[in-house]
Amino acid sequence: MTAARAGREPRQTVLDRAAARVCAVVPGLDPTAAARFVERATVAHTLRRLEAHLAHHPDALTSGSSDAPITLQRLAGLLADAGHPTVVVPGCLRCGKPALLPHLVDGGRVCDHCRRFYHRAPCGRCRRDRPIATHTDRGDPLCHSCIPRRREPCGTCGRVLRVQTRRADGAAVCPNCYRTPQRRCCRCEHITPTYAHTDHGPICKSCYRRPLRRCGACGEQRRIDRRATATTPDICIRCRTRRLRSCTVCGTAYPAHPRAQHPVCLPCRDAGHVLEPELTESPDRIRRRRHETSHDALITTLHAVITDPHRGIAAPLTALDEVFRTVPNPEIIRYWLHRRRGGAALLHQIALRAHDEPITHQLLDSYPHSAALPRLRALFVYAGILPERTDLLERIGPWLDEILEGRPAHHGALVCPSRIGTCYAELAAAPAAAPSRTMPPLTPAARSPSPWTFCPGSTNTTPPWPPPPRQTSTAGSTAAAATDIS
């Protein structure tokens, strides 16, 4: 041992060489001052380790790498405090904060606070994958929540309970008397109880948001509701309520899609196995995607209604895009289109026929009267697909034809001459000029489409038009009808 020590370089020689390496990196630092900094940062058995590290890593004082011995960390801190701007104090591998890094992990070093994130294992009591705080007598790991706490008289209430913390005088504080420390929230700047600690500082419960990570069930970047354990991955809020089903590839139970006939878990999907095509992109999706606006989702639903599977969208119906982009309640209109009932179903039927025949008022008159028909006609007029017409007069003819269909012949002879008579014949012969010559201007309420009393399939057969007045004679009733219409 004496011969080995005799073969080693003197300590002063190693110190001078280390000081020279520091002077080569830090400008404006003389060798005497560098030697003093090295002496303050090292002890007898760490000086040679520091000099060897500086020899293999010349940029160790300027790179800020966490993979540095503690002596180099102390030397960098002394030089930075002395006002040398080129020196970078090594930061923690996880949080990046400049601090003493005593714990060595894969890839560098971490501080005391971040060490627990690299020493995780299934707890021997709760079975959750958490940072290990201690071990039992048998060697089983225990997390911080499962450590058996001592029971002492509380210094506030006097009851013998588990010790949550201690006051400055050493007295125990039970969980019932413990109050969360109040700090300034890093987001709202209010002095409130701290709910969590983030990279930006303490945060209150009102400002805290769940972490946004990849869900272990659906694979999307969503806010995590259940954190990962030793046997289960992170689960988002949506997948938390789904039923556990076995993967058809590996057999692992996971929260599967409710419509999946052959569920495939996320690790198997990452390995190349895919979901069913209808689950990859649902054609009847009602909820809009994260990147699109409400009006964009409305236009997508509209195109799904008016698109022919083989011929696309008819040219006249492209004008509906501008109309639907300006609606004030797009979510309600989109839900109405998604249901494919009433007016939405009628719009789909007309869109399929629009490839073979033009959209006219006569085409809409061929459909049975319903509450949706006048509203759809008003939509086409507003979009410029149909010309404007006096709908109340034009609807009299089809309405009478439907009412009188299947009725006795004398009913038609009674209604037409007595109620409509010659005036209706003149209006039918000159529909464009009739409203201006023979009728007063209609009110806005009369021009707007109104719902009919009966709809297709309804059991109500009462005609929506008011019945004619009681007749006294044929001549008198004809004159009264002419007076009313004129």
Side-chain angles (χ1 to χ4, degrees):
M1 181 179 298
T2 306
R5 288 186 177 180
R8 296 173 63 179
E9 294 180 316
R11 185 176 186 278
Q12 187 62 36
T13 304
V14 180
L15 179 61
D16 294 341
R17 190 163 56 243
R21 298 185 188 281
V22 173
C23 292
V25 178
V26 181
L29 185 64
D30 58 278
T32 305
R36 288 198 301 266
F37 281 116
V38 173
E39 285 182 341
R40 292 174 57 189
T42 61
V43 291
H45 62 278
T46 59
L47 175 60
R48 302 179 188 276
R49 190 181 305 171
L50 173 63
E51 193 275 333
H53 187 81
L54 290 176
H56 290 87
H57 303 87
D59 60 341
L61 291 174
T62 58
S63 63
S65 174
S66 62
D67 191 9
I70 296 181
T71 53
L72 182 68
Q73 302 173 27
R74 292 172 179 168
L75 178 61
L78 294 173
L79 293 172
D81 294 340
H84 296 281
T86 58
V87 178
V88 180
V89 180
C92 176
L93 180 63
R94 180 182 180 273
C95 63
K97 297 179 180 179
L100 189 62
L101 312 176
H103 306 288
L104 184 63
V105 296
D106 294 339
R109 290 175 175 267
V110 294
C111 59
D112 290 329
H113 176 73
C114 298
R115 173 186 175 274
R116 58 193 181 95
F117 294 98
Y118 292 88
H119 294 78
R120 303 172 65 96
C123 177
R125 179 170 297 180
C126 64
R127 302 301 179 185
R128 290 184 295 177
D129 187 14
R130 304 190 62 183
I132 298 304
T134 184
H135 292 77
T136 62
D137 297 337
R138 297 181 300 177
D140 297 333
L142 290 179
C143 64
H144 190 271
S145 301
C146 297
I147 297 177
R149 300 294 181 88
R150 294 180 57 185
R151 292 178 175 270
E152 297 181 10
C154 177
T156 303
C157 62
R159 292 182 293 178
V160 180
L161 296 173
R162 180 172 56 89
V163 179
Q164 179 71 23
T165 186
R166 294 185 181 276
R167 297 189 307 209
D169 56 357
V173 178
C174 67
N176 297 334
C177 299
Y178 174 75
R179 296 295 179 266
T180 305
Q182 294 190 357
R183 300 182 180 91
R184 185 178 299 276
C185 177
C186 63
R187 182 169 297 180
C188 64
E189 299 295 334
H190 292 166
I191 304 297
T192 57
T194 300
Y195 185 75
H197 291 273
T198 63
D199 296 338
H200 304 285
I203 189 171
C204 65
K205 188 174 182 178
S206 301
C207 300
Y208 177 75
R209 297 295 181 268
R210 295 180 181 270
L212 189 65
R213 295 195 297 267
R214 189 190 187 198
C215 175
C218 61
E220 299 181 7
Q221 292 288 335
R222 302 176 64 88
R223 300 204 176 274
I224 299 303
D225 184 74
R226 291 181 179 176
R227 296 182 179 180
T229 63
T231 56
T232 59
D234 290 329
I235 301 299
C236 65
I237 299 177
R238 182 181 62 182
C239 297
R240 178 178 60 87
T241 58
R242 291 180 174 177
R243 183 169 60 91
L244 294 177
R245 300 173 62 185
S246 298
C247 174
T248 55
V249 180
C250 63
T252 304
Y254 82 104
H257 195 283
R259 292 189 296 107
Q261 298 180 359
H262 306 284
V264 181
C265 64
L266 183 62
C268 294
R269 294 202 300 268
D270 294 340
H273 303 277
V274 297
L275 286 170
E276 293 100 318
E278 64 270 14
L279 297 182
T280 305
E281 183 63 28
S282 177
D284 55 349
R285 183 185 180 103
I286 184 61
R287 296 180 62 183
R288 62 184 179 92
R289 299 167 182 83
R290 190 182 301 273
H291 64 275
E292 63 182 357
T293 63
S294 299
H295 285 87
D296 293 339
L298 174 61
I299 297 301
T300 303
T301 309
L302 172 66
H303 289 175
V305 174
I306 64 177
T307 300
D308 186 272
H310 305 287
R311 293 177 289 184
I313 301 177
L317 296 179
T318 56
L320 294 178
D321 287 4
E322 296 298 328
V323 177
F324 279 80
R325 286 190 183 278
T326 58
V327 295
N329 47 356
E331 294 293 340
I332 299 177
I333 302 299
R334 186 160 64 96
Y335 181 72
W336 169 72
L337 290 173
H338 174 76
R339 295 180 63 190
R340 298 285 185 94
R341 298 179 183 177
L346 183 60
L347 176 61
H348 178 67
Q349 298 176 12
I350 295 176
L352 297 181
R353 297 180 59 179
H355 291 278
D356 302 323
E357 51 186 316
I359 301 178
T360 59
H361 287 286
Q362 290 74 20
L363 175 63
L364 268 66
D365 292 337
S366 64
Y367 288 92
H369 291 294
S370 63
L373 185 61
R375 287 171 170 77
L376 188 61
R377 189 192 306 270
L379 173 63
F380 287 162
V381 171
Y382 182 80
I385 301 176
L386 291 178
E388 188 175 1
R389 76 172 187 178
T390 307
D391 198 42
L392 291 179
L393 293 178
E394 298 294 339
R395 287 187 349 226
I396 293 178
W399 175 75
L400 284 178
D401 294 340
E402 184 176 350
I403 291 298
L404 297 177
E405 183 179 359
R407 300 296 179 93
H410 66 276
H411 286 187
L414 177 65
V415 172
C416 294
S418 63
R419 183 60 178 165
I420 306 302
T422 308
C423 295
Y424 177 76
E426 294 178 356
L427 295 178
S436 60
R437 292 188 299 106
T438 61
M439 291 187 63
L442 295 176
T443 61
R447 289 184 180 274
S448 61
S450 58
W452 295 87
T453 307
F454 65 102
C455 300
S458 175
T459 57
N460 184 8
T461 57
T462 306
W465 209 262
R470 191 176 185 86
Q471 302 179 6
T472 55
S473 63
T474 304
S477 62
T478 304
T483 304
D484 292 340
I485 297 179
S486 61

